[in-house]
Amino acid sequence: MDETMEIGGRGDFGLWAIEAAKQIVGEQGFELARAARDGSDEDLRSAGNALGQAITNVLLELYDGLLDGAPEA
């Protein structure tokens, strides 16, 4: 996700998660569906891996953001 959002509670996190999921499905879900319909096994595997990587990337982005805002011990 490209824009910064401050997460101040559970509700904010829920909104962020919905927006992140919409973005991922919009970008990667279409490619996965197209590969399932028209592609080879390799195309399907590649599209599935790209979807998994997109999910991983957004979760790591969130984790990194949480670390940046964590108080120092």
Side-chain angles (χ1 to χ4, degrees):
M1 300 203 29
D2 294 331
E3 56 185 76
T4 301
M5 177 180 182
E6 185 172 325
I7 297 175
R10 186 180 178 120
D12 290 342
F13 180 77
L15 290 174
W16 173 85
I18 290 167
E19 290 303 314
K22 283 178 14 183
Q23 183 176 347
I24 291 169
V25 168
E27 293 172 3
Q28 302 300 324
F30 174 77
E31 291 300 321
L32 182 61
R34 188 180 58 76
R37 186 189 67 199
D38 298 331
S40 66
D41 286 347
E42 180 58 33
D43 294 335
L44 185 57
R45 187 174 9 271
S46 178
N49 287 340
L51 176 60
Q53 188 62 55
I55 293 167
T56 300
N57 290 348
V58 78
L59 290 174
L60 288 173
E61 179 183 322
L62 173 65
Y63 181 78
D64 290 344
L66 292 173
L67 288 181
D68 290 343
E72 304 245 350

